[in-house]
């Protein structure tokens, strides 16, 4: 059973499950499994950019300088 088949099965189960208080937890676990499988599918296909795996570079220290990265939280400033 491939990843795409598992994704189809989970989507079908989510479609036929009624949404109410009793099934919220079940739907949440299905959504989590679906997100994990889609992530695995992207990694398997060679996509999924982000950090890691890339080739870095070094900058030679020269003089006095101070640099600040300003931006919203959790946008990848520390990976620059």
């Amino acid at each position: 059973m491939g990843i795409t088949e598992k994704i189809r099965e989970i989507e079908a189960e989510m479609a036929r499950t009624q949404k109410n208080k009793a099934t919220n937890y079940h739907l949440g676990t299905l959504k989590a499994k679906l997100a994990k499988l889609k992530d695995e599918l992207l990694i398997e296909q060679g996509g999924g950019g982000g950090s890691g795996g890339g080739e870095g570079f070094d900058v030679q220290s020269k003089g006095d300088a101070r640099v600040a990265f300003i931006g919203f939280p959790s946008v990848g400033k520390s990976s620059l």
Side-chain angles (χ1 to χ4, degrees):
M1 178 180 280
I3 294 176
T4 53
E5 293 172 5
K6 289 180 183 178
I7 289 174
R8 274 192 238 123
E9 285 183 9
I10 290 174
E11 287 175 343
E13 186 173 349
M14 287 176 65
R16 68 177 175 256
T17 302
Q18 293 180 358
K19 184 174 181 179
N20 56 42
K21 281 193 231 177
T23 60
N24 273 344
Y25 180 77
H26 179 64
L27 287 172
T29 56
L30 289 176
K31 286 181 183 179
K33 286 180 186 177
L34 186 63
K36 183 179 177 183
L37 288 173
K38 285 184 177 181
D39 190 39
E40 287 179 11
L41 186 64
L42 284 175
I43 291 171
E44 184 179 287
Q45 291 177 349
S51 63
E55 186 175 324
F57 60 93
D58 290 331
V59 178
Q60 185 178 8
S61 298
K62 201 182 247 189
D64 293 330
R66 189 171 286 197
V67 177
F69 291 112
I70 300 172
F72 293 106
S74 301
V75 293
K77 292 184 297 290
S78 60
S79 65
L80 292 176

